[in-house]
Amino acid sequence: METLIKIGGWIECADYSSPLTIAICLPRVEFAGLLVATGACLHATKSPVVADWRTGLAELLNRRVAYAFCGKNPYVYWEGVLREIEPGEPATVGIQGTKSGPTDRWPLADLASIQLDPERDGKELADHYHAKNAFRDEHSNRLRTVLPESAVGKLCGWWFQVTLVGIRSRFAEELNEPFPWKVESPAGCKFADLLRPEGHVADSVITRLLSAKDLTGESARGIVIIEGSRRLAEHLTATQRHNRIVLLGRNEPHYSDCAEIVTSHFQQRSSDVAGLDFECPEHIKLKMFYH
Amino acid sequence: MTLAEISRAHRNALEVARGGVTVYQVEDKDIQAFDMARRDFQNLVDKLQAAEPLKAFASLCSQLHARICRTPCPPAWLVETFKPRILELQPKLNPCLATADEKIRSAFKVVCGRLADVQKIQVNPLATEVRAMLELSEEASEKLIVVIRQPALWHEVGAAIDPDAVRKHMVIMKPSELRRASPVDRVLLFGPPWLFEYRDEHFLFRSPVAGSVELFVFAHDCGGRVSASALDVQPVNFRGIEPRPTAAENLQSEPLFMFKPRSFVPRRLPGVETDTVDAHAVYIDAWPVNLGGNMGVYLDPEGSVYAVECKHAGEVAICTDVERRDVEELEPGDLIVLTTEGGGDLIRPLADEILGEASQVYRRRQDDWKRKLRERVEIDGMAFVVAKLQAHGAVGANPPNLRTWMSERNIGPEGLDTDFAGILTVTGVCGSRDEYCEAIDSIRRAHKKAGFQLRDRLLAALKGMDVRRAFVDGFLEVRTAEGGPAKTVFLVEQIARESANVPTHAVARVFELEETRS
């Protein structure tokens, strides 16, 4: 499933002057659109890629750290050790204080910043090629939450938009699901919090949800993610100017027809795409082309 | 589905993509001999253009062989199920045989002899192989789906595979139910790969519900390939057999008529008493939809229907929601709710109930101006009436809107002060304009209220209910606490690609279809 997030991130940085199509053939389309959109969104906001975050967290466990609390003097640091509060649950990693700080355990969500103690872990820092400040900036927010509200706020008025085309009622249910790759946050984090569809927030809408019959050249915004349907041929015609992702579910009755339409467009492509810079698992097939 | 279930579906697909499908091949010399004999007979019947009863017998043998080789049911039992059809054919066969070519008579004798041998087989080798495989599996608690197309065979399949009913989580399902089923541990399929290709059931391999997919097949019946994806040519890896195209001549002796798309011939179109076109009716392009239970319906592609959302868990499918879904978004395998008596519309009867005694008056007024408008169009022509309406302030008047306004399925124009005022002027009902406006407004509000109430009533009746019967039988009757017209949950079996031009009063009205696929 992480592959879909990576594809979203990849297409987000594609050049709009040469629009391209990525057709993704996968076992089911449920959540695929949201994951692709999330990948694009995370990339647009320059947040760390989710998979890397999890790896980075595992490497930092049991390190001595200095930390500061949210809402308090940001220059007062306490000492502690980064530990898993609940073994096996990365969402509940926190700080166990030492003699110079509180002895309670603090969830990461309560902390403004964390840094390795440079005096004690200087050797590790050098090996990791991270200066003290760079570590703090790169890891504090990453460890705190996938997409902190402060970063989300920066999206107000941002140009980044994505259009999801498919069954709106199903999208609404999926948007309500918790986003699985996050540190526990008091506010919780659902797909809707990341993708900010219309109606979820008063402003800074990122995601437009359209049913198959509502997609036109005028209604599409930004990256267009289309679930294959009987109208796929019309959709592809309407979104010629957009970078788009077509999701083909192999369990869907119209799958073969949609694959045929995609293949037909592929044969009329303007040029080939070099390819992704990451591997796709065997059960996900792609067809990519500049259209 | 939850994200966790979809993640599991992806893992299952990856497992099958990497590990392939495990194939278990069996054989039985008597069944193989029957197959050869019935093919020879079929070829002679086709080549020598034999009489219809002989072709029918060849077809029966073809179907019987398919059942034997593609289900684990005991051959002896299967032959017994075919006996009534063979006996019914017997009186017509004998005269044909008497005048048939000697080769056909000889081949017929051979087929009957082989059939008698098959009739003695009490245990299907496929069942033996399945039981042996399951005994080796230590996971008695694993969730297992056995895929069998005909519900009439399910009881016998269960007895053949799990005679002691040890497997508590074994479920038998139709292929179409697996398109959106929740993931399980193992799925068992029967039949050669080409069969799944022909039946458009590749999704069983391409989008597997289990990480372990097992295929049981007779060696003499095996063949064909399935592509893993429609975007490339790589085939599904059937471990244990070589992928090879199925020869066209092999398919000629298969009961392929079973795989053809369903026909759509209404036995009698509701509301249409004769075959002549009703000059006053408004016609629209509607989609013919085949429903379960050999029923059909025309649906307006611009409209919506009530669809049942359900969660599949083993042998049950629990209704979780009833929602209004665009007809545009319907797919085969969906469940929709339609009324099966009286009008085709679920909302209208309830709206009339809400309007109470005033409904008759309001409906009469509505019918009145619509009828007069249709008469105007019939006399003066569409273009003239549109121009006249525009001249009288109907800013929205154009041919498509005019057709919509004349339709029974439309309450009336939105612009009561503009478009509707123009209509009343053109049709000559200016004197009671307020009454007609009141009728439209009241009906509109009642329909809106009915929509909310109906959804609540359907949800109350269906939520939490096991609607699996709708998938198996094709339909399920529903009773709401408040009564009203009978409602039925129908399985959408097929949606035609091409529209049919039908009168609006025939839309959403369920009717019986003329032909059935066996």
Side-chain angles (χ1 to χ4, degrees):
Chain A
M1 309 281 289
E2 285 97 332
T3 303
L4 297 171
I5 293 183
K6 287 181 183 175
I7 291 173
W10 189 90
I11 201 171
E12 194 279 329
C13 56
D15 184 6
Y16 274 78
S17 61
S18 302
L20 66 94
T21 302
I22 303 180
I24 308 177
C25 171
L26 56 170
R28 308 282 295 252
V29 294
E30 288 94 327
F31 286 97
L34 263 62
L35 288 167
V36 170
T38 301
C41 177
L42 289 174
H43 198 276
T45 59
K46 301 295 185 277
S47 290
V49 174
V50 174
D52 291 340
W53 166 80
R54 294 166 83 187
T55 305
L57 177 62
E59 288 172 358
L60 294 169
L61 288 178
N62 301 319
R63 293 288 182 85
R64 295 183 67 86
V65 294
Y67 56 95
F69 287 102
C70 291
K72 305 223 173 161
N73 188 337
Y75 301 107
V76 174
Y77 280 86
W78 301 88
E79 281 190 4
V81 178
L82 195 64
R83 291 217 201 279
E84 287 182 80
I85 295 179
E86 293 292 335
E89 282 291 337
T92 53
V93 167
I95 303 293
Q96 183 173 24
T98 62
K99 61 181 179 183
S100 51
T103 55
D104 289 330
R105 293 174 177 183
W106 303 98
L108 293 180
D110 291 347
L111 306 179
S113 67
I114 306 165
Q115 53 180 313
L116 290 181
D117 187 336
E119 302 257 331
R120 297 170 196 268
D121 289 326
K123 185 169 182 235
E124 288 87 337
L125 277 178
D127 289 344
H128 278 281
Y129 184 64
H130 284 307
K132 170 179 139 184
N133 287 339
F135 175 81
R136 184 189 62 217
D137 290 342
E138 190 172 351
H139 285 267
S140 332
N141 283 340
R142 180 194 299 179
L143 292 171
R144 185 168 178 231
T145 183
V146 170
L147 198 62
E149 197 55 36
S150 57
V152 172
K154 292 177 187 171
L155 295 173
C156 291
W158 196 301
W159 60 269
F160 175 76
Q161 288 227 305
V162 64
T163 305
L164 271 172
V165 183
I167 298 178
R168 291 183 52 142
S169 55
R170 205 196 73 234
F171 284 148
E173 282 181 26
E174 292 173 5
L175 282 164
N176 228 12
E177 276 261 338
F179 187 68
W181 299 290
K182 68 170 178 68
V183 176
E184 186 174 332
S185 159
C189 187
K190 299 179 185 176
F191 277 98
D193 297 321
L194 299 175
L195 295 177
R196 302 169 78 82
E198 291 158 325
H200 182 71
V201 290
D203 55 11
S204 70
V205 170
I206 294 175
T207 307
R208 302 197 86 195
L209 303 177
L210 296 177
S211 64
K213 66 181 181 184
D214 293 331
L215 176 62
T216 61
E218 289 74 38
S219 62
R221 295 278 187 276
I223 296 169
V224 185
I225 302 170
I226 306 167
E227 290 185 351
S229 70
R230 332 170 152 254
R231 286 189 182 245
L232 182 61
E234 297 169 33
H235 292 164
L236 293 180
T237 304
T239 53
Q240 287 286 344
R241 294 179 294 112
H242 296 261
N243 283 334
R244 56 202 185 185
I245 295 199
V246 180
L247 300 172
L248 306 177
R250 295 195 284 266
N251 66 318
E252 300 292 341
H254 49 251
Y255 166 70
S256 298
D257 292 337
C258 289
E260 211 172 297
I261 291 169
V262 165
T263 303
S264 168
H265 277 255
F266 173 77
Q267 286 163 353
Q268 297 164 38
R269 66 194 182 280
S270 63
S271 57
D272 289 329
V273 175
L276 299 171
D277 49 10
F278 52 86
E279 291 273 332
C280 262
E282 291 97 317
H283 71 294
I284 294 180
K285 306 287 181 192
L286 302 184
K287 214 160 195 83
M288 306 167 56
F289 52 95
Y290 290 106
H291 58 260
Chain B
M1 272 209 170
T2 63
L3 184 57
E5 286 176 311
I6 293 297
S7 295
R8 189 169 170 199
H10 275 254
R11 286 199 299 277
N12 288 343
L14 182 58
E15 224 172 296
V16 173
R18 285 179 177 164
V21 174
T22 307
V23 180
Y24 298 82
Q25 287 196 79
V26 301
E27 195 52 276
D28 179 280
K29 59 176 177 49
D30 290 328
I31 296 174
Q32 188 177 14
F34 170 61
D35 182 44
M36 286 171 61
R38 64 114 191 154
R39 282 177 187 276
D40 289 341
F41 180 71
Q42 173 96 55
N43 289 338
L44 280 169
V45 161
D46 290 338
K47 190 176 164 187
L48 299 175
Q49 295 176 354
E52 281 306 318
L54 292 169
K55 288 182 183 174
F57 181 74
S59 176
L60 276 180
C61 290
S62 161
Q63 293 173 52
L64 176 59
H65 172 262
R67 288 274 166 94
I68 291 170
C69 288
R70 294 156 200 173
T71 76
C73 296
W77 180 81
L78 284 169
V79 172
E80 281 302 311
T81 64
F82 271 74
K83 257 196 180 157
R85 293 159 74 182
I86 296 174
L87 289 174
E88 190 187 334
L89 195 56
Q90 201 84 50
K92 299 174 197 169
L93 268 176
N94 292 336
C96 293
L97 281 167
T99 56
D101 189 286
E102 172 56 36
K103 289 180 192 168
I104 289 182
R105 287 205 297 273
S106 174
F108 180 81
K109 275 187 193 159
V110 173
V111 171
C112 291
R114 301 286 181 256
L115 187 55
D117 293 336
V118 167
Q119 196 173 5
K120 296 172 191 165
I121 304 174
Q122 296 294 331
V123 178
N124 193 315
L126 292 174
T128 308
E129 192 72 12
V130 171
R131 289 210 296 268
M133 185 274 293
L134 291 177
E135 274 165 22
L136 282 176
S137 160
E138 295 174 357
E139 296 289 333
S141 61
E142 71 180 354
K143 290 182 182 170
L144 168 66
I145 293 178
V146 178
V147 180
I148 298 289
R149 293 175 190 88
Q150 302 84 7
L153 303 180
W154 287 357
H155 180 77
E156 200 62 34
V157 166
I161 289 177
D162 187 27
D164 301 324
V166 169
R167 294 260 158 185
K168 300 301 176 198
H169 301 284
M170 184 179 87
V171 176
I172 304 175
M173 297 173 84
K174 290 159 67 171
S176 57
E177 296 184 84
L178 267 64
R179 282 192 192 272
R180 294 187 176 88
S182 296
V184 295
D185 300 308
R186 192 192 291 258
V187 67
L188 306 188
L189 303 167
F190 298 88
W194 69 261
L195 182 67
F196 299 90
E197 183 84 33
Y198 259 76
R199 281 190 170 268
D200 199 24
E201 291 169 353
H202 338 74
F203 65 90
L204 294 169
F205 305 108
R206 292 169 170 175
S207 179
V209 291
S212 176
V213 178
E214 262 111 348
L215 182 70
F216 295 84
V217 64
F218 272 82
H220 74 266
D221 191 40
C222 192
R225 65 174 86 189
V226 176
S227 57
S229 158
L231 288 185
D232 63 33
V233 297
Q234 187 184 359
V236 171
N237 177 15
F238 289 101
R239 291 188 292 117
I241 57 175
E242 287 298 316
R244 60 179 191 273
T246 305
E249 55 267 24
N250 289 344
L251 300 180
Q252 285 172 10
S253 58
E254 290 291 340
L256 291 179
F257 69 91
M258 294 197 294
F259 313 149
K260 287 181 191 163
R262 297 278 301 280
S263 62
F264 192 91
V265 180
R267 189 155 282 177
R268 185 178 69 81
L269 201 58
V272 178
E273 297 303 327
T274 68
D275 289 333
T276 57
V277 172
D278 182 351
H280 294 289
V282 175
Y283 282 72
I284 66 165
D285 289 332
W287 285 355
V289 178
N290 289 75
L291 303 171
N294 196 37
M295 305 299 277
V297 70
Y298 289 106
L299 293 179
D300 181 358
E302 300 294 320
S304 57
V305 291
Y306 283 102
V308 176
E309 288 287 317
C310 52
K311 185 172 173 64
H312 294 263
E315 273 184 312
V316 299
I318 303 296
C319 169
T320 54
D321 199 8
V322 174
E323 62 171 23
R324 200 80 188 159
R325 186 175 302 169
D326 292 337
V327 169
E328 176 81 31
E329 290 178 353
L330 285 181
E331 295 287 353
D334 285 346
L335 296 181
I336 60 175
V337 187
L338 296 168
T339 187
T340 39
E341 64 183 38
D345 189 1
L346 283 171
I347 297 225
R348 179 165 171 150
L350 184 53
D352 287 347
E353 207 179 293
I354 292 169
L355 288 168
E357 287 176 1
S359 70
Q360 281 194 13
V361 174
Y362 290 149
R363 293 290 182 192
R364 200 162 46 239
R365 285 180 194 155
Q366 187 186 37
D367 293 342
D368 187 34
W369 68 259
K370 282 183 182 285
R371 176 178 48 78
K372 287 178 176 164
L373 188 59
R374 287 196 284 265
E375 285 170 0
R376 248 327 8 113
V377 170
E378 192 185 336
I379 294 169
D380 297 328
M382 180 75 73
F384 183 82
V385 172
V386 167
K388 230 178 163 195
L389 284 169
Q390 287 171 347
H392 284 91
V395 296
N398 55 47
N401 281 350
L402 181 52
R403 272 191 284 275
T404 300
W405 295 336
M406 290 192 293
S407 163
E408 285 180 5
R409 297 183 61 76
N410 176 261
I411 297 172
E414 292 290 336
L416 293 181
D417 294 329
T418 51
D419 298 331
F420 192 54
I423 289 173
L424 293 179
T425 305
V426 167
T427 53
V429 291
C430 299
S432 36
R433 187 191 150 192
D434 286 345
E435 288 178 352
Y436 284 91
C437 286
E438 183 194 348
I440 288 187
D441 194 47
S442 301
I443 291 172
R444 189 163 277 144
R445 280 189 280 112
H447 271 241
K448 192 169 178 180
K449 204 169 172 182
F452 289 121
Q453 281 190 19
L454 183 61
R455 191 218 166 236
D456 290 343
R457 289 186 188 187
L458 286 173
L459 194 58
L462 286 167
K463 190 162 184 177
M465 183 177 170
D466 180 8
V467 295
R468 175 108 195 277
R469 284 249 66 89
F471 288 104
V472 174
D473 296 338
F475 62 94
L476 175 69
E477 285 192 0
V478 178
R479 298 278 169 207
T480 59
E482 297 77 6
K487 300 164 198 64
T488 305
V489 176
F490 282 103
L491 177 68
V492 173
E493 293 192 343
Q494 182 176 281
I495 303 174
R497 295 175 192 285
E498 289 177 12
S499 306
N501 199 242
V502 299
T504 53
H505 55 253
V507 172
R509 296 179 77 162
V510 179
F511 47 84
E512 206 176 335
L513 292 174
E514 193 65 61
E515 294 173 15
T516 314
R517 182 180 61 189
S518 61

